[in-house]
Amino acid sequence: MKIDKELIESISKNARLKLSDKEIEKFSHELKDVLEAFSKLKEVNTDKVEPAFHPIKIVNRFREDIVKESLKQEDALKNAKHKKDGYFVAPKTIDK
Amino acid sequence: MNVNEYLSKGKNEVKEIIKEAREINKKYNYFNYIDEDATGGKGKLSNLPVSVKDCICVKDMESRAGSLILKGYKPVFDATVISRLRKEGVAIIGKTSQDEFGFGSFSTNTDNIPKNPIDVERSTGGSSGGSGGFTAITKYTHVSIAESTGGSIACPAGFCGVAGFTPTYGVVSRYGLIDYANSLDKIGVMAKKVNEIKPVFDIIRGYDEKDSTSLKLDLNKDEKIKKIGVIKETLNVDEKIKDAVLSKLKDYEEVSLPLVEKYGVTAYYIIALSEASTNLAKYSGLRYGESLDLKGNYNEYFSDVRSKFFSTESKRRIILGTFARMAGYRDAYYLKAMKVRNLIIQEYKKAFKKYDVLISPTMPIIAPKFSEISKLTPLENYMMDIMTVGPNLAGLPHLSVNAGFIGKMPVGLMVIGNHLDDNKVLKFGEKIE
């Protein structure tokens, strides 16, 4: 597969990162190496093998749907810089 | 003084160790934060000084996982391991330095780089570098709560010459851990000697309803060691490292784990980076951590914050992980890696039918110099984890214990056990130490 500037730019847009031209140049070289190494897994025959999403069997656990005490509003807001009237203030989501 | 003796004598050296930590930190950078007012209390671990890796949340103590994007973040709650320890009287003396979010094997991917206690021109290893370095250097009784995703406890333990234990995945609650990769992260314990680990491990382990992957299973009771297997492929290292490791063992057989050797690092990094890239999505300058003036639309704002405060290594891992999960590539990379992980787990399980523990060197090298690390490419860097990624990928309990020295520098030996054989691993580690 071709690792070029366009691919890195499209990934970084997806990941909400603005990369400088220098970073894009550097990453496209380095990623080529790494992705080539990643492709090594193609050699392994995994027909009929289930993916192991966890290393050990994890069982779904359910609990009663009861309201319990949770994080207080003031605590939830404690680490936010932008807040107003008990809410987080976020950047504009709809342009005029 | 050994932890067990300290506890039985009812000692309290919290003030002294904080003073020492402050002095040592000027030269070695083991702490991102030291709590000058830390005090202990009464319990099974009365007044035991405990340092905590920066990525584990401690209430009101800056917890930034070695990252600048979380600068100033003070959790409003304790991680489960911390609340359990506090109930038993420990004193949390501070937060130890680490690679940003655990992204590294040398603790160099951060603003506060810890130095090896034996030679300051060398690395402590990573990512729990501050924990390893301080555990080795302190004159006082102390344990450190560290965390491993792909070898971040074993590696610094090996490079600093201390004991580092990573439990079976799910045995210790991850609630309150600033995560790297959810299906791989494990909280564990570092101490000068292996027998200091169990009193602390016994407090932090056990089911926690706040962690959906926490296990409700008991640890296996059988601690007998009948047969030891040395992983053949891991002996292909420097003769001195091999000799140090084998000199600690009497009767053993060599066992081959070809899949782990050949595909472990690749499968590990695909899974780790995929999970990391989704975990890091939450850092957007809104609810916690660094922020900027609210300008532009939300996409621009998020991108600006993330681009300014993430390090190069974080950006690199986000790019790789996002790629591996992208439409059109997900099956070839992410899903394939999960299937290979299954085969690797089966390979280990087969070996554990015959052997009680598996042995390898902890790292393929001794602690490298910073000047050597800076020359490594990202791929060469990732390959350094070749010994440690296997047990981490498979969620197996493992322990690095000192096996001797090359010159002044320590060599680590790694003991790997089957799932839930945590006590067997610790017991065997004690025996060979």
Side-chain angles (χ1 to χ4, degrees), chain B residues 51-78:
Chain B
S51 63
V52 177
K53 188 176 181 180
D54 202 13
C55 59
I56 297 166
C57 286
V58 178
K59 195 179 174 199
D60 297 331
M61 227 183 254
E62 187 186 55
S63 299
R64 63 182 179 92
S67 177
L68 291 178
I69 207 166
L70 273 176
K71 200 149 194 269
Y73 169 61
K74 287 186 180 169
V76 292
F77 65 98
D78 275 332

PDB file of all heavy atoms in Angstrom, chain B residues 51-78:
ATOM      1  N   SER B  51       4.612   5.022  46.519  1.00  0.00           N
ATOM      2  CA  SER B  51       4.579   5.976  45.403  1.00  0.00           C
ATOM      3  C   SER B  51       3.675   5.379  44.325  1.00  0.00           C
ATOM      4  O   SER B  51       3.492   4.167  44.269  1.00  0.00           O
ATOM      5  CB  SER B  51       5.990   6.218  44.860  1.00  0.00           C
ATOM      6  OG  SER B  51       6.531   5.023  44.327  1.00  0.00           O
ATOM      7  N   VAL B  52       3.105   6.240  43.491  1.00  0.00           N
ATOM      8  CA  VAL B  52       2.093   5.790  42.533  1.00  0.00           C
ATOM      9  C   VAL B  52       2.427   6.341  41.150  1.00  0.00           C
ATOM     10  O   VAL B  52       2.693   7.543  41.000  1.00  0.00           O
ATOM     11  CB  VAL B  52       0.693   6.288  42.968  1.00  0.00           C
ATOM     12  CG1 VAL B  52      -0.364   5.888  41.952  1.00  0.00           C
ATOM     13  CG2 VAL B  52       0.337   5.762  44.351  1.00  0.00           C
ATOM     14  N   LYS B  53       2.410   5.464  40.165  1.00  0.00           N
ATOM     15  CA  LYS B  53       2.665   5.912  38.787  1.00  0.00           C
ATOM     16  C   LYS B  53       1.677   7.020  38.422  1.00  0.00           C
ATOM     17  O   LYS B  53       0.495   6.951  38.779  1.00  0.00           O
ATOM     18  CB  LYS B  53       2.537   4.719  37.833  1.00  0.00           C
ATOM     19  CG  LYS B  53       2.965   5.018  36.406  1.00  0.00           C
ATOM     20  CD  LYS B  53       2.911   3.767  35.530  1.00  0.00           C
ATOM     21  CE  LYS B  53       3.355   4.056  34.111  1.00  0.00           C
ATOM     22  NZ  LYS B  53       3.313   2.859  33.246  1.00  0.00           N
ATOM     23  N   ASP B  54       2.175   7.994  37.688  1.00  0.00           N
ATOM     24  CA  ASP B  54       1.393   9.196  37.407  1.00  0.00           C
ATOM     25  C   ASP B  54       0.044   8.921  36.727  1.00  0.00           C
ATOM     26  O   ASP B  54      -0.891   9.715  36.842  1.00  0.00           O
ATOM     27  CB  ASP B  54       2.241  10.135  36.537  1.00  0.00           C
ATOM     28  CG  ASP B  54       1.776  11.573  36.620  1.00  0.00           C
ATOM     29  OD1 ASP B  54       0.975  11.894  37.522  1.00  0.00           O
ATOM     30  OD2 ASP B  54       2.217  12.392  35.784  1.00  0.00           O
ATOM     31  N   CYS B  55      -0.093   7.789  36.043  1.00  0.00           N
ATOM     32  CA  CYS B  55      -1.330   7.513  35.298  1.00  0.00           C
ATOM     33  C   CYS B  55      -2.453   6.954  36.179  1.00  0.00           C
ATOM     34  O   CYS B  55      -3.533   6.642  35.662  1.00  0.00           O
ATOM     35  CB  CYS B  55      -1.058   6.548  34.149  1.00  0.00           C
ATOM     36  SG  CYS B  55      -0.380   4.974  34.697  1.00  0.00           S
ATOM     37  N   ILE B  56      -2.215   6.815  37.485  1.00  0.00           N
ATOM     38  CA  ILE B  56      -3.260   6.285  38.365  1.00  0.00           C
ATOM     39  C   ILE B  56      -3.824   7.444  39.190  1.00  0.00           C
ATOM     40  O   ILE B  56      -3.070   8.181  39.835  1.00  0.00           O
ATOM     41  CB  ILE B  56      -2.685   5.168  39.273  1.00  0.00           C
ATOM     42  CG1 ILE B  56      -2.203   3.999  38.393  1.00  0.00           C
ATOM     43  CG2 ILE B  56      -3.720   4.695  40.285  1.00  0.00           C
ATOM     44  CD1 ILE B  56      -1.319   2.996  39.093  1.00  0.00           C
ATOM     45  N   CYS B  57      -5.133   7.617  39.152  1.00  0.00           N
ATOM     46  CA  CYS B  57      -5.752   8.798  39.771  1.00  0.00           C
ATOM     47  C   CYS B  57      -5.680   8.765  41.294  1.00  0.00           C
ATOM     48  O   CYS B  57      -6.092   7.800  41.931  1.00  0.00           O
ATOM     49  CB  CYS B  57      -7.222   8.906  39.348  1.00  0.00           C
ATOM     50  SG  CYS B  57      -7.403   9.449  37.642  1.00  0.00           S
ATOM     51  N   VAL B  58      -5.134   9.834  41.853  1.00  0.00           N
ATOM     52  CA  VAL B  58      -5.118  10.027  43.295  1.00  0.00           C
ATOM     53  C   VAL B  58      -5.836  11.344  43.558  1.00  0.00           C
ATOM     54  O   VAL B  58      -5.500  12.373  42.972  1.00  0.00           O
ATOM     55  CB  VAL B  58      -3.678  10.086  43.851  1.00  0.00           C
ATOM     56  CG1 VAL B  58      -3.690  10.349  45.353  1.00  0.00           C
ATOM     57  CG2 VAL B  58      -2.926   8.805  43.539  1.00  0.00           C
ATOM     58  N   LYS B  59      -6.842  11.305  44.397  1.00  0.00           N
ATOM     59  CA  LYS B  59      -7.687  12.477  44.654  1.00  0.00           C
ATOM     60  C   LYS B  59      -6.853  13.706  45.063  1.00  0.00           C
ATOM     61  O   LYS B  59      -5.965  13.599  45.912  1.00  0.00           O
ATOM     62  CB  LYS B  59      -8.684  12.136  45.763  1.00  0.00           C
ATOM     63  CG  LYS B  59      -9.818  13.127  45.845  1.00  0.00           C
ATOM     64  CD  LYS B  59     -10.800  12.775  46.929  1.00  0.00           C
ATOM     65  CE  LYS B  59     -11.799  13.916  47.005  1.00  0.00           C
ATOM     66  NZ  LYS B  59     -12.530  13.971  48.222  1.00  0.00           N
ATOM     67  N   ASP B  60      -7.144  14.821  44.426  1.00  0.00           N
ATOM     68  CA  ASP B  60      -6.519  16.114  44.713  1.00  0.00           C
ATOM     69  C   ASP B  60      -5.014  16.180  44.441  1.00  0.00           C
ATOM     70  O   ASP B  60      -4.360  17.154  44.793  1.00  0.00           O
ATOM     71  CB  ASP B  60      -6.767  16.546  46.170  1.00  0.00           C
ATOM     72  CG  ASP B  60      -8.243  16.768  46.454  1.00  0.00           C
ATOM     73  OD1 ASP B  60      -8.972  17.132  45.502  1.00  0.00           O
ATOM     74  OD2 ASP B  60      -8.663  16.555  47.601  1.00  0.00           O
ATOM     75  N   MET B  61      -4.445  15.130  43.840  1.00  0.00           N
ATOM     76  CA  MET B  61      -3.021  15.135  43.506  1.00  0.00           C
ATOM     77  C   MET B  61      -2.901  15.189  41.995  1.00  0.00           C
ATOM     78  O   MET B  61      -3.513  14.365  41.317  1.00  0.00           O
ATOM     79  CB  MET B  61      -2.383  13.829  44.010  1.00  0.00           C
ATOM     80  CG  MET B  61      -1.100  14.023  44.766  1.00  0.00           C
ATOM     81  SD  MET B  61      -0.388  12.428  45.247  1.00  0.00           S
ATOM     82  CE  MET B  61      -0.739  12.409  46.986  1.00  0.00           C
ATOM     83  N   GLU B  62      -2.159  16.162  41.471  1.00  0.00           N
ATOM     84  CA  GLU B  62      -2.069  16.249  40.014  1.00  0.00           C
ATOM     85  C   GLU B  62      -1.718  14.873  39.426  1.00  0.00           C
ATOM     86  O   GLU B  62      -0.746  14.255  39.841  1.00  0.00           O
ATOM     87  CB  GLU B  62      -1.010  17.270  39.588  1.00  0.00           C
ATOM     88  CG  GLU B  62      -1.035  17.495  38.079  1.00  0.00           C
ATOM     89  CD  GLU B  62       0.090  18.379  37.571  1.00  0.00           C
ATOM     90  OE1 GLU B  62       1.276  18.064  37.843  1.00  0.00           O
ATOM     91  OE2 GLU B  62      -0.205  19.369  36.890  1.00  0.00           O
ATOM     92  N   SER B  63      -2.533  14.401  38.499  1.00  0.00           N
ATOM     93  CA  SER B  63      -2.337  13.082  37.880  1.00  0.00           C
ATOM     94  C   SER B  63      -2.395  13.303  36.380  1.00  0.00           C
ATOM     95  O   SER B  63      -3.465  13.492  35.819  1.00  0.00           O
ATOM     96  CB  SER B  63      -3.450  12.117  38.315  1.00  0.00           C
ATOM     97  OG  SER B  63      -3.425  11.957  39.726  1.00  0.00           O
ATOM     98  N   ARG B  64      -1.225  13.304  35.739  1.00  0.00           N
ATOM     99  CA  ARG B  64      -1.238  13.699  34.323  1.00  0.00           C
ATOM    100  C   ARG B  64      -0.648  12.648  33.395  1.00  0.00           C
ATOM    101  O   ARG B  64      -0.415  12.910  32.221  1.00  0.00           O
ATOM    102  CB  ARG B  64      -0.546  15.052  34.153  1.00  0.00           C
ATOM    103  CG  ARG B  64       0.932  15.087  34.533  1.00  0.00           C
ATOM    104  CD  ARG B  64       1.480  16.497  34.366  1.00  0.00           C
ATOM    105  NE  ARG B  64       2.868  16.619  34.735  1.00  0.00           N
ATOM    106  CZ  ARG B  64       3.885  16.481  33.883  1.00  0.00           C
ATOM    107  NH1 ARG B  64       3.668  16.209  32.626  1.00  0.00           N
ATOM    108  NH2 ARG B  64       5.125  16.631  34.301  1.00  0.00           N
ATOM    109  N   ALA B  65      -0.396  11.440  33.907  1.00  0.00           N
ATOM    110  CA  ALA B  65       0.099  10.331  33.078  1.00  0.00           C
ATOM    111  C   ALA B  65       1.316  10.738  32.248  1.00  0.00           C
ATOM    112  O   ALA B  65       1.466  10.316  31.110  1.00  0.00           O
ATOM    113  CB  ALA B  65      -1.024   9.784  32.181  1.00  0.00           C
ATOM    114  N   GLY B  66       2.159  11.597  32.818  1.00  0.00           N
ATOM    115  CA  GLY B  66       3.368  12.020  32.115  1.00  0.00           C
ATOM    116  C   GLY B  66       3.099  12.912  30.918  1.00  0.00           C
ATOM    117  O   GLY B  66       3.994  13.166  30.114  1.00  0.00           O
ATOM    118  N   SER B  67       1.857  13.396  30.793  1.00  0.00           N
ATOM    119  CA  SER B  67       1.493  14.157  29.598  1.00  0.00           C
ATOM    120  C   SER B  67       1.286  15.633  29.911  1.00  0.00           C
ATOM    121  O   SER B  67       0.860  16.001  30.999  1.00  0.00           O
ATOM    122  CB  SER B  67       0.196  13.599  29.013  1.00  0.00           C
ATOM    123  OG  SER B  67      -0.190  14.384  27.902  1.00  0.00           O
ATOM    124  N   LEU B  68       1.572  16.470  28.932  1.00  0.00           N
ATOM    125  CA  LEU B  68       1.330  17.906  29.117  1.00  0.00           C
ATOM    126  C   LEU B  68      -0.136  18.260  28.876  1.00  0.00           C
ATOM    127  O   LEU B  68      -0.626  19.261  29.378  1.00  0.00           O
ATOM    128  CB  LEU B  68       2.225  18.720  28.173  1.00  0.00           C
ATOM    129  CG  LEU B  68       3.721  18.663  28.511  1.00  0.00           C
ATOM    130  CD1 LEU B  68       4.525  19.458  27.491  1.00  0.00           C
ATOM    131  CD2 LEU B  68       3.997  19.190  29.920  1.00  0.00           C
ATOM    132  N   ILE B  69      -0.866  17.421  28.142  1.00  0.00           N
ATOM    133  CA  ILE B  69      -2.270  17.742  27.853  1.00  0.00           C
ATOM    134  C   ILE B  69      -3.118  17.616  29.124  1.00  0.00           C
ATOM    135  O   ILE B  69      -4.190  18.212  29.216  1.00  0.00           O
ATOM    136  CB  ILE B  69      -2.833  16.880  26.687  1.00  0.00           C
ATOM    137  CG1 ILE B  69      -3.971  17.633  25.981  1.00  0.00           C
ATOM    138  CG2 ILE B  69      -3.319  15.517  27.161  1.00  0.00           C
ATOM    139  CD1 ILE B  69      -4.381  17.062  24.645  1.00  0.00           C
ATOM    140  N   LEU B  70      -2.616  16.875  30.114  1.00  0.00           N
ATOM    141  CA  LEU B  70      -3.361  16.725  31.380  1.00  0.00           C
ATOM    142  C   LEU B  70      -2.765  17.593  32.496  1.00  0.00           C
ATOM    143  O   LEU B  70      -3.081  17.388  33.667  1.00  0.00           O
ATOM    144  CB  LEU B  70      -3.383  15.258  31.813  1.00  0.00           C
ATOM    145  CG  LEU B  70      -4.519  14.418  31.242  1.00  0.00           C
ATOM    146  CD1 LEU B  70      -4.384  12.953  31.648  1.00  0.00           C
ATOM    147  CD2 LEU B  70      -5.881  14.939  31.707  1.00  0.00           C
ATOM    148  N   LYS B  71      -1.932  18.530  32.133  1.00  0.00           N
ATOM    149  CA  LYS B  71      -1.300  19.381  33.153  1.00  0.00           C
ATOM    150  C   LYS B  71      -2.378  20.066  33.994  1.00  0.00           C
ATOM    151  O   LYS B  71      -3.350  20.596  33.465  1.00  0.00           O
ATOM    152  CB  LYS B  71      -0.417  20.421  32.470  1.00  0.00           C
ATOM    153  CG  LYS B  71       0.607  21.011  33.395  1.00  0.00           C
ATOM    154  CD  LYS B  71       1.871  21.400  32.642  1.00  0.00           C
ATOM    155  CE  LYS B  71       2.985  21.663  33.622  1.00  0.00           C
ATOM    156  NZ  LYS B  71       3.087  23.037  34.051  1.00  0.00           N
ATOM    157  N   GLY B  72      -2.218  19.996  35.277  1.00  0.00           N
ATOM    158  CA  GLY B  72      -3.154  20.661  36.181  1.00  0.00           C
ATOM    159  C   GLY B  72      -4.359  19.817  36.547  1.00  0.00           C
ATOM    160  O   GLY B  72      -5.158  20.210  37.398  1.00  0.00           O
ATOM    161  N   TYR B  73      -4.513  18.644  35.928  1.00  0.00           N
ATOM    162  CA  TYR B  73      -5.681  17.809  36.223  1.00  0.00           C
ATOM    163  C   TYR B  73      -5.558  17.187  37.615  1.00  0.00           C
ATOM    164  O   TYR B  73      -4.625  16.452  37.894  1.00  0.00           O
ATOM    165  CB  TYR B  73      -5.820  16.699  35.169  1.00  0.00           C
ATOM    166  CG  TYR B  73      -6.838  15.644  35.532  1.00  0.00           C
ATOM    167  CD1 TYR B  73      -8.183  15.982  35.725  1.00  0.00           C
ATOM    168  CD2 TYR B  73      -6.468  14.318  35.708  1.00  0.00           C
ATOM    169  CE1 TYR B  73      -9.112  15.018  36.073  1.00  0.00           C
ATOM    170  CE2 TYR B  73      -7.400  13.342  36.060  1.00  0.00           C
ATOM    171  CZ  TYR B  73      -8.727  13.708  36.240  1.00  0.00           C
ATOM    172  OH  TYR B  73      -9.648  12.752  36.602  1.00  0.00           O
ATOM    173  N   LYS B  74      -6.503  17.530  38.484  1.00  0.00           N
ATOM    174  CA  LYS B  74      -6.532  16.946  39.825  1.00  0.00           C
ATOM    175  C   LYS B  74      -7.798  16.126  39.973  1.00  0.00           C
ATOM    176  O   LYS B  74      -8.892  16.678  40.055  1.00  0.00           O
ATOM    177  CB  LYS B  74      -6.505  18.050  40.888  1.00  0.00           C
ATOM    178  CG  LYS B  74      -5.150  18.702  41.019  1.00  0.00           C
ATOM    179  CD  LYS B  74      -5.137  19.674  42.173  1.00  0.00           C
ATOM    180  CE  LYS B  74      -3.768  20.327  42.285  1.00  0.00           C
ATOM    181  NZ  LYS B  74      -3.781  21.456  43.209  1.00  0.00           N
ATOM    182  N   PRO B  75      -7.666  14.790  39.991  1.00  0.00           N
ATOM    183  CA  PRO B  75      -8.859  13.936  40.070  1.00  0.00           C
ATOM    184  C   PRO B  75      -9.693  14.274  41.306  1.00  0.00           C
ATOM    185  O   PRO B  75      -9.148  14.645  42.347  1.00  0.00           O
ATOM    186  CB  PRO B  75      -8.270  12.525  40.182  1.00  0.00           C
ATOM    187  CG  PRO B  75      -6.900  12.619  39.628  1.00  0.00           C
ATOM    188  CD  PRO B  75      -6.426  14.001  39.934  1.00  0.00           C
ATOM    189  N   VAL B  76     -11.010  14.118  41.149  1.00  0.00           N
ATOM    190  CA  VAL B  76     -11.908  14.364  42.294  1.00  0.00           C
ATOM    191  C   VAL B  76     -12.246  13.038  42.984  1.00  0.00           C
ATOM    192  O   VAL B  76     -13.134  12.976  43.823  1.00  0.00           O
ATOM    193  CB  VAL B  76     -13.197  15.092  41.848  1.00  0.00           C
ATOM    194  CG1 VAL B  76     -12.864  16.508  41.409  1.00  0.00           C
ATOM    195  CG2 VAL B  76     -13.894  14.332  40.723  1.00  0.00           C
ATOM    196  N   PHE B  77     -11.540  11.977  42.623  1.00  0.00           N
ATOM    197  CA  PHE B  77     -11.791  10.660  43.230  1.00  0.00           C
ATOM    198  C   PHE B  77     -10.484   9.866  43.249  1.00  0.00           C
ATOM    199  O   PHE B  77      -9.542  10.190  42.520  1.00  0.00           O
ATOM    200  CB  PHE B  77     -12.847   9.892  42.434  1.00  0.00           C
ATOM    201  CG  PHE B  77     -12.401   9.546  41.041  1.00  0.00           C
ATOM    202  CD1 PHE B  77     -11.899   8.281  40.754  1.00  0.00           C
ATOM    203  CD2 PHE B  77     -12.439  10.480  40.015  1.00  0.00           C
ATOM    204  CE1 PHE B  77     -11.466   7.959  39.481  1.00  0.00           C
ATOM    205  CE2 PHE B  77     -11.999  10.164  38.737  1.00  0.00           C
ATOM    206  CZ  PHE B  77     -11.520   8.900  38.468  1.00  0.00           C
ATOM    207  N   ASP B  78     -10.434   8.830  44.076  1.00  0.00           N
ATOM    208  CA  ASP B  78      -9.292   7.913  44.107  1.00  0.00           C
ATOM    209  C   ASP B  78      -9.578   6.710  43.208  1.00  0.00           C
ATOM    210  O   ASP B  78     -10.706   6.201  43.187  1.00  0.00           O
ATOM    211  CB  ASP B  78      -9.081   7.370  45.529  1.00  0.00           C
ATOM    212  CG  ASP B  78      -8.229   8.302  46.391  1.00  0.00           C
ATOM    213  OD1 ASP B  78      -7.392   9.040  45.823  1.00  0.00           O
ATOM    214  OD2 ASP B  78      -8.405   8.284  47.621  1.00  0.00           O
TER     215      ASP B  78
END
